[in-house]
Amino acid sequence: MFALTLIKTSGDPIAPAHVALIQGALSDMSIPVDDRPPHWFKGHKAVRGWILDKPNNEQMSTLRALFNAHKIDIICEADQLPKLKLA
């Protein structure tokens, strides 16, 4: 499982319409989405959802291009990353 995070780089916060847009794009790419609801970060400057398959480089480029006009960056990472702590 992978976490797909949308991060607003400037302007208005991320809206539910952005989540719907990414879900539609993932569906078009046949990337299955986990059924957990998205996790909204404080101020709606970021939102995280979970997908079952990792997008390839071409798919990530397509997703980033789709959200470039919205000033939203997209990051995909393994869902079970270790927690890092400051020593």
Side-chain angles (χ1 to χ4, degrees):
M1 185 166 316
F2 298 89
L4 193 65
T5 306
L6 280 64
I7 302 168
K8 187 70 169 174
T9 57
S10 65
D12 294 330
I14 294 175
H18 295 119
V19 174
L21 184 61
I22 192 87
Q23 288 173 334
L26 292 169
S27 177
D28 291 345
M29 294 178 184
S30 300
I31 298 173
V33 177
D34 189 73
D35 60 356
R36 287 185 280 176
H39 173 77
W40 291 89
F41 292 87
K42 186 176 180 181
H44 283 218
K45 293 294 184 179
V47 62
R48 176 173 290 153
W50 292 269
I51 55 179
L52 304 179
D53 296 330
K54 184 177 182 178
N56 62 36
N57 290 339
E58 182 179 324
Q59 291 168 323
M60 283 301 296
S61 292
T62 299
L63 291 172
R64 286 187 174 120
L66 179 65
F67 282 92
N68 193 33
H70 299 275
K71 297 182 178 161
I72 295 174
D73 194 13
I74 301 173
I75 298 169
C76 183
E77 57 194 354
D79 186 33
Q80 298 299 324
L81 289 175
K83 303 291 183 205
L84 300 177
K85 296 182 181 181
L86 185 61

